Amino acid sequence: MKKGFALIAVFLMVTLSLSAFASEGQMVLAGLDVQDTGHDWKNNLFFDRMAEVTGVSFELNQFTDNETWKKEKQGYQVGSSLPDVLFKAQLSPQETLELYEKGVLIDLRPYLAEHAPNLWALLESHPDWLRAISLPGGAIAALPQIDSLMSNNAMWINAKWLRALGLTMPTTAEELVSVLRAFKSQDPNMNGRSDEVPLTFTGLWDLRFLQHAFGWMANDYGVAVDEQGRVREYLTADENRAFLEWLHTLWEEKLIDKDGFSTPSSTRAITDSKATPTYGIVFGPTPMAMLPTEMTTDYELLVPLQAEGKQVYRSLLGELRRGTFAVTSACRDIPAALRWVDYLYTEEGCYLARSGLQGKEYERLSDGTWYWLDSEDIVANTVLRDITISEGTTIPGYTPESFSLHYDNETAAPVVAAISRLAAIASEPYPQVYLTREQQEKVDTLWPALTAYAENTMACFVTGDIPLTDASWTDFTGKVKAMGMDELLQIWQAAYDAQYGS
Ligand SMILES: [Ca+2]
């Protein structure tokens, strides 16, 4: 009798201490936030505020160096001491797939509807987002940042010059050429010198965004998917030849920057606000990439041109950045981990991560407009460093368009409005996929040499260093195919089918 009682007591003690361990042992959150943001997670208010709102707090393990973080992720094994969650995880598609296959990351799909209802609602209303974050087979091993106003490579045109010359905004490729000719010949900066560069650009990478003027666009791998789900490669296509011939005529007429292939954009950017503007059209996420802030008010978004009434534009990044958050197989409380991150997929969570608290760091008017309460200096050096978390490595969460559009800032507002206008038209030529290891290795083997050859040759076609003739084009397309374009096309098709095929 006595002995039995003692056994029960021991049993109770063991179970009590086990449950005490589970509730007291704080979950560990690991991730990357590079030093130049100044973020020090242990002293950043964001985590305290998140704990207040969600009831979930973490022991924080911040990495500040990308290489170390990469090695850390590579070293993760089931059975090794794993953190519970990865935040600002910067997981490449390949890392996501590999860590999932190793059993380090868990499939979150079965949990999302119940434990991350805000994120789940967004994914249900955007099946393309859901597919983009699903591994072949359907598992969701990492969560994204969702932002429909992701930065893009827009074209910005000098509207002051248009007005000075009595011109209207071009709407087609032909009208664009007429405008560029006028910029070249009619001294729109009115200094009596022929110093205008009608269109400046950096390499073929920028120029490719002009493909839209002819109704098509390809991604950096030269591919795009059509409405039937057929992936096409454009490097060897007739459309590409016609496009390069068109660029060559612009080059010959000196309508595009003679230094565009040979010097980096940083050396061509105008930095002196008192300088005479010489650029008619510049590329960049904002005109500030190439121009001093004071000059940017003269530049407006070049609304995508129409080709036979069709208006397309390439979205550089889509609306998702994948791999920002993940839960490991060692996670002690999956529902709590998801409850925490799910808050970032709400409007309140977006503000908390990016702007802090209303009445403390920012104020918001009844029309939705919001502004910082502190000076730009304090915001840059204190608020963004010690109170919010969105700077630096990409955070998980959802940024409603209204957040960006309602930011009350004289310089930013017109640019954000323009980016929003562009985003409504832009789409990814080819969606985000997860390549299998074999596919990725094949791409890594074939693509670098192929793209180096193709880029160089196409630039020579534009400049005329290699005259574009039937013979030189046949030679070019033959080499591109011999270097593996068909094989790559098969990979892009297979990856698309695995993830997006019905
Ligand atoms: Ca001039």
Side-chain angles (χ1 to χ4, degrees):
M1 180 78 183
K2 236 183 168 183
K3 194 179 169 189
F5 185 81
L7 271 175
I8 291 167
V10 168
F11 177 70
L12 278 175
M13 267 172 57
V14 170
T15 48
L16 275 176
S17 61
L18 275 178
S19 66
F21 175 74
S23 64
E24 278 170 23
Q26 221 179 8
M27 290 201 287
V28 176
L29 173 151
L32 172 73
D33 221 347
V34 290
Q35 246 153 359
D36 57 15
T37 61
H39 284 163
D40 172 8
W41 288 0
K42 294 202 165 87
N43 295 308
N44 188 296
L45 258 187
F46 164 79
F47 294 98
D48 297 338
R49 288 173 170 176
M50 281 292 281
E52 279 165 34
V53 191
T54 64
V56 183
S57 58
F58 294 99
E59 184 189 320
L60 305 167
N61 188 8
Q62 176 186 5
F63 288 75
T64 53
D65 167 72
N66 192 22
E67 282 310 306
T68 318
W69 174 235
K70 229 179 187 169
K71 282 205 192 95
E72 171 80 5
K73 286 183 284 187
Q74 276 165 4
Y76 285 156
Q77 301 286 346
V78 174
S80 69
S81 95
L82 290 171
D84 296 78
V85 309
L86 311 183
F87 169 73
K88 287 199 166 206
Q90 198 164 294
L91 291 159
S92 68
Q94 212 51 34
E95 286 173 328
T96 306
L97 190 63
E98 276 168 23
L99 288 174
Y100 176 70
E101 285 172 349
K102 271 160 77 176
V104 169
L105 301 183
I106 63 162
D107 177 12
L108 294 171
R109 186 183 279 259
Y111 301 96
L112 293 180
E114 187 180 352
H115 300 295
N118 292 294
L119 170 59
W120 189 245
L122 288 167
L123 296 176
E124 282 207 300
S125 61
H126 292 86
D128 52 327
W129 293 350
L130 181 57
R131 280 196 290 267
I133 63 167
S134 301
L135 298 172
I140 296 172
L143 303 182
Q145 181 188 92
I146 306 171
D147 184 350
S148 57
L149 299 186
M150 228 45 113
S151 68
N152 200 355
N153 194 29
M155 300 175 63
W156 307 90
I157 186 166
N158 194 322
K160 198 177 168 187
W161 287 8
L162 287 176
R163 286 192 296 273
L165 300 178
L167 299 168
T168 54
M169 190 69 84
T171 62
T172 63
E174 296 78 46
E175 288 178 21
L176 175 72
V177 173
S178 305
V179 164
L180 295 178
R181 283 181 183 141
F183 283 176
K184 178 79 195 156
S185 61
Q186 297 181 29
D187 190 24
N189 67 3
M190 296 186 276
N191 63 355
R193 295 170 47 202
S194 178
D195 55 351
E196 285 81 0
V197 178
L199 183 150
T200 188
F201 66 96
T202 305
L204 263 185
W205 191 82
D206 268 347
L207 289 179
R208 268 200 291 274
F209 282 78
L210 277 164
Q211 289 164 349
H212 85 273
F214 301 92
W216 62 280
M217 51 183 184
N219 71 1
D220 287 342
Y221 292 95
V223 299
V225 60
D226 67 16
E227 279 162 17
Q228 284 74 45
R230 194 172 55 117
V231 182
R232 282 193 60 190
E233 65 91 2
Y234 279 88
L235 281 181
T236 69
D238 291 342
E239 288 97 328
N240 194 33
R241 177 175 174 174
F243 178 61
L244 294 167
E245 282 167 347
W246 181 74
L247 289 177
H248 177 60
T249 62
L250 301 188
W251 177 269
E252 286 289 286
E253 284 192 50
K254 299 186 168 53
L255 301 180
I256 58 177
D257 197 339
K258 64 174 175 36
D259 297 322
F261 288 114
S262 50
T263 66
S265 57
S266 52
T267 58
R268 279 176 290 113
I270 302 174
T271 50
D272 178 3
S273 62
K274 297 200 172 56
T276 306
T278 46
Y279 293 139
I281 292 180
V282 299
F283 285 92
T286 78
M288 290 119 179
M290 288 298 290
L291 305 162
T293 311
E294 295 80 357
M295 222 177 262
T296 56
T297 48
D298 294 343
Y299 288 76
E300 288 178 17
L301 176 77
L302 177 71
V303 176
L305 305 168
Q306 300 191 11
E308 290 161 18
K310 200 167 73 165
Q311 209 176 14
V312 299
Y313 199 78
R314 177 182 172 192
S315 168
L316 182 58
L317 300 167
E319 299 173 308
L320 297 181
R321 271 188 197 156
R322 303 184 296 178
T324 62
F325 184 91
V327 174
T328 73
S329 52
C331 182
R332 283 161 279 182
D333 192 343
I334 297 165
L338 287 175
R339 182 166 79 242
W340 186 85
V341 76
D342 191 49
Y343 186 68
L344 298 175
Y345 293 93
T346 66
E347 185 180 63
E348 298 78 15
C350 166
Y351 274 89
L352 186 70
R354 293 171 182 280
S355 313
L357 285 181
Q358 183 166 8
K360 288 202 170 148
E361 283 83 33
Y362 72 92
E363 197 44 84
R364 211 171 160 191
L365 307 176
S366 54
D367 67 357
T369 307
W370 72 271
Y371 54 92
W372 295 108
L373 285 171
D374 288 308
S375 68
E376 266 180 41
D377 220 32
I378 293 178
V379 169
N381 297 316
T382 307
V383 178
L384 296 180
R385 189 189 63 195
D386 301 333
I387 299 176
T388 67
I389 200 73
S390 62
E391 296 288 297
T393 319
T394 311
I395 55 167
Y398 171 59
T399 309
E401 207 168 311
S402 58
F403 172 83
S404 309
L405 285 172
H406 285 156
Y407 174 42
D408 185 23
N409 177 289
E410 231 180 307
T411 318
V415 172
V416 175
I419 289 168
S420 164
R421 199 169 168 200
L422 185 62
I425 295 164
S427 63
E428 288 173 294
Y430 178 90
Q432 302 181 34
V433 294
Y434 287 100
L435 297 179
T436 64
R437 186 179 299 114
E438 294 72 34
Q439 289 170 335
Q440 186 68 55
E441 279 169 3
K442 203 83 209 172
V443 171
D444 293 345
T445 308
L446 295 175
W447 183 247
L450 196 167
T451 189
Y453 164 72
E455 293 284 301
N456 183 48
T457 309
M458 290 190 293
C460 290
F461 285 150
V462 174
T463 59
D465 288 334
I466 302 176
L468 213 177
T469 62
D470 284 351
S472 64
W473 183 250
T474 305
D475 183 50
F476 170 73
T477 57
K479 279 204 179 109
V480 165
K481 283 183 189 289
M483 292 176 94
M485 194 65 230
D486 290 338
E487 216 173 325
L488 289 163
L489 180 60
Q490 278 174 14
I491 289 173
W492 296 122
Q493 183 72 61
Y496 177 84
D497 291 343
Q499 212 163 324
Y500 296 86
S502 44

